């Protein structure tokens, strides 16, 4: 059995829905176990035990969200040089941009020598005002379908030994 670890952080629910959609699709793939873990609860052991990763977080203040950054801060050195070549992909939930958060995750993954299997998937919620930004998010069906496709791709690649 190959193991896919999905680490997520979400403030207003958008990233969580994206991660759950990817997890549900990945779980339909026989031969892969899927672990969906909140960033605050995940650590080096979860990373070491997985064969591939999906990192999912919002972009806040032009950066990955603080809780997600804390996850990487806590795990970066404990697993350095021990994850080489493993597959990963990224989900970003953003109000209007998302590219900086995606770039930050990519730099960390490069340091770990992970292999990106897809471009970062950024979902834009178009939340611009403080009220919209603080409101619980509902990710649309089309965007959730993109997340499902990415989860399924990761899982299939792991199961087939392509990644
Ligand atoms: C403090 C804060 C800062 C934010 N900064 C950005 C930003 O720099 N770029 C952006 O695209 N969205 C920004 N947003 C919007 C969030 O990315 C957006 O609301 C997203 O849906 C949050 O994901 P979540 O629902 O998983 O928490 C910000 C939101 C908050 C609360």
């Amino acid at each position: 059995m190959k193991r896919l670890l999905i680490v997520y952080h979400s403030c207003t629910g958008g990233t969580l829905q994206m991660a759950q959609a990817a997890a549900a699709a990945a779980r339909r793939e026989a031969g892969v176990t899927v672990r969906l873990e909140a960033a605050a609860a995940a650590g080096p052991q979860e990373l070491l035990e997985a064969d591939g990763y999906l990192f999912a977080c919002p972009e806040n203040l032009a950066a990955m969200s603080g809780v997600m950054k804390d996850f990487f801060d806590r795990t970066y050195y404990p697993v350095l040089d021990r994850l080489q070549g493993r597959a990963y992909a990224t989900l970003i939930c953003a109000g209007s941009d998302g590219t900086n958060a995606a770039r930050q995750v990519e730099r960390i993954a490069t340091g770990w020598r992970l292999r990106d299997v897809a471009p970062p998937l950024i979902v834009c919620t178009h939340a611009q005002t403080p009220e919209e930004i603080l409101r619980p998010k509902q990710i649309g069906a089309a965007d959730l379908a993109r997340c499902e496709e990415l989860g399924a791709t990761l899982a299939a690649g792991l199961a087939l030994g392509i990644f």
Side-chain angles (χ1 to χ4, degrees):
M1 268 312 229
K2 292 295 178 68
R3 298 155 300 181
L4 173 64
L5 173 67
I6 302 176
V7 181
Y8 73 92
H9 172 248
S10 184
C11 294
T12 52
T15 312
L16 176 59
Q17 291 159 42
M18 293 166 63
Q20 287 173 332
R27 287 191 173 115
R28 288 194 278 274
E29 178 69 49
V32 175
T33 60
V34 179
R35 184 167 184 174
L36 180 63
E37 198 74 67
Q45 197 57 34
E46 283 77 11
L47 285 163
L48 292 170
E49 287 173 1
D51 300 292
Y53 312 100
L54 184 58
F55 301 118
C57 67
E59 176 168 279
N60 286 351
L61 305 176
M64 78 173 85
S65 61
V67 176
M68 195 68 180
K69 176 68 163 40
D70 171 71
F71 160 74
F72 285 118
D73 287 349
R74 287 184 291 105
T75 59
Y76 187 81
Y77 284 106
V79 304
L80 188 62
D81 296 331
R82 300 167 75 184
L83 308 180
Q84 276 98 328
R86 298 185 194 181
Y88 89 98
T90 308
L91 297 176
I92 303 293
C93 190
S96 56
D97 189 348
T99 52
N100 275 332
R103 224 179 343 262
Q104 289 178 325
V105 174
E106 187 179 16
R107 287 190 68 173
I108 292 163
T110 300
W112 276 340
R113 303 287 183 261
L114 299 181
R115 179 150 56 117
D116 65 321
V117 300
L121 196 169
I122 298 174
V123 168
C124 192
T125 58
H126 304 289
Q128 303 284 4
T129 65
E131 291 75 20
E132 288 169 348
I133 284 175
L134 295 174
R135 194 177 294 152
K137 303 296 183 297
Q138 187 60 55
I139 305 300
D143 283 327
L144 290 178
R146 294 163 64 209
C147 299
E148 287 177 19
E149 193 178 328
L150 182 55
T153 301
L154 252 176
L158 287 171
L160 294 170
I162 296 170
F163 305 144

